[in-house]
Amino acid sequence: MDIIRFSIITPNYNGAVFLEETLKSVISQRGRGVELEYIVVDGDSRDHSHEILSRYRGEISRLLIEPDTGPANAINKGLALATGEIVAWLNGDDRYFPLALQRAEECLARNPAASFCFGSCPIVDAGSSEIRQGITHFKEFFFPLSSRFTYQCINYISQPAVFFRRSALERAGGLREDLQAAWDYEFILRLWRLGGGVRIPGGPVAAFRWHEGSISGLHFGAQFREEFQAAARDAGWFSPQALIHYFVRWGIVSAYFAMAGLRRLRAGGTGDGGRTP
């Protein structure tokens, strides 16, 4: 069996509450034809992240602890250190499912022209219970229709379940640090130009954790605005893709605002501290 070297980057800043689960999910990928280069970039956390990282120091290939200017900056530091043939990043509150890396390698081996691969990625809450199944099913509806055109119309790929070739990274360049929330979407748009993406068949590859402090929880308005702008620049401002993405964006943003309003009502609308009978 050929041994494939993966470089996985985990950015972290004050994410101790979920960090250990993330670390374990990455470390457990070693073996089965996978050589793991694990790079953790911590932005000089002030919680007990450093204590957790010290316990797993022997399993981490490169540990960088220093201030950064945000997640994109931290990920770019890790990408600059990566030496693996296949590269990905997994945020410090997300996790991989067993055999995720092996499945990614097999998928890219079957599709040598592809620059990246992606898989199913359910959404979980702070307690790791699956939530928002409707959103997951909506995204997966587009998997059989996957193309650069489709991706310019709507972001249906979840970043935690994305793996890309280092050769494509070297051609595409790193993440745009001037973006507030859509650096992953803009980066994947560039990967589409370099061979496109293919789906990893089968069940979930990774889990994306949604919570009030996550980027999508705090900045979903900015995220969808930046995604539209990135798609319009990539496809053309007056292209059909840009027009479709414009209406999709406002539909999704309206749904997110509605869900946020329902959460506020459930939390404080009963007059008794949010408790219900």
Side-chain angles (χ1 to χ4, degrees):
M1 177 185 294
D2 293 335
I3 303 296
I4 301 298
R5 184 175 179 86
F6 278 77
S7 293
I8 305 298
I9 296 115
T10 290
N12 176 70
Y13 181 68
N14 291 341
V17 65
F18 304 119
L19 180 58
E20 187 165 19
E21 184 178 354
T22 299
L23 296 175
K24 287 180 177 178
S25 79
V26 176
I27 292 165
S28 66
Q29 302 292 321
R30 282 194 169 99
R32 306 179 187 88
V34 170
E35 179 185 348
L36 175 63
E37 177 184 55
Y38 194 18
I39 302 168
V40 178
V41 183
D42 182 273
D44 200 14
S45 295
R46 296 300 184 229
D47 60 3
H48 62 281
S49 291
H50 295 174
E51 176 187 337
I52 296 171
L53 291 171
S54 67
R55 294 204 302 268
Y56 292 87
R57 186 63 185 89
E59 303 284 356
I60 298 172
S61 308
R62 301 288 297 271
L63 176 59
L64 187 62
I65 299 177
E66 63 181 29
D68 56 51
T69 59
N73 178 240
I75 294 165
N76 275 338
K77 291 178 181 181
L79 293 176
L81 296 173
T83 63
E85 299 167 66
I86 302 174
V87 184
W89 75 85
L90 187 72
N91 294 318
D93 49 4
D94 301 330
R95 61 182 172 87
Y96 286 139
F97 284 89
L99 305 180
L101 272 59
Q102 181 184 356
R103 292 171 58 201
E105 187 279 323
E106 292 171 351
C107 181
L108 288 175
R110 290 192 300 267
N111 299 273
S115 61
F116 73 98
C117 62
F118 63 93
S120 178
C121 184
I123 305 167
V124 300
D125 62 14
S128 296
S129 296
E130 186 174 359
I131 58 173
R132 301 187 174 189
Q133 291 94 332
I135 294 176
T136 301
H137 296 326
F138 178 74
K139 286 187 172 186
E140 291 179 351
F141 171 82
F142 294 96
F143 283 6
L145 310 173
S146 189
S147 69
R148 182 181 170 210
F149 179 97
T150 311
Y151 194 63
Q152 290 168 334
C153 295
I154 183 170
N155 180 6
Y156 59 88
I157 295 175
S158 297
Q159 175 276 314
V162 171
F163 301 85
F164 46 93
R165 301 185 194 275
R166 185 159 58 90
S167 57
L169 168 65
E170 291 169 350
R171 295 168 62 194
L175 307 185
R176 280 184 50 185
E177 298 181 21
D178 60 312
L179 297 178
Q180 185 177 14
W183 57 78
D184 51 351
Y185 177 72
E186 193 275 338
F187 175 71
I188 296 172
L189 279 172
R190 282 182 273 145
L191 292 180
W192 273 108
R193 293 175 174 269
L194 302 174
V198 290
R199 178 195 173 191
I200 302 171
V205 173
F208 165 75
R209 193 183 305 274
W210 190 97
H211 53 93
E212 295 291 347
S214 63
I215 290 172
S216 57
L218 292 171
H219 306 299
F220 62 84
Q223 174 187 341
F224 292 117
R225 181 184 67 252
E226 290 177 349
E227 286 185 2
F228 166 71
Q229 292 169 345
R233 280 191 294 267
D234 194 63
W237 286 95
F238 301 103
S239 65
Q241 301 96 301
L243 181 63
I244 294 170
H245 198 123
Y246 178 84
F247 287 106
V248 167
R249 166 199 171 191
W250 283 114
I252 294 175
V253 168
S254 298
Y256 269 60
F257 273 118
M259 288 188 291
L262 287 173
R263 287 195 302 274
R264 286 193 295 270
L265 285 174
R266 285 197 295 265
T270 61
D272 62 352
R275 293 173 295 175
T276 56

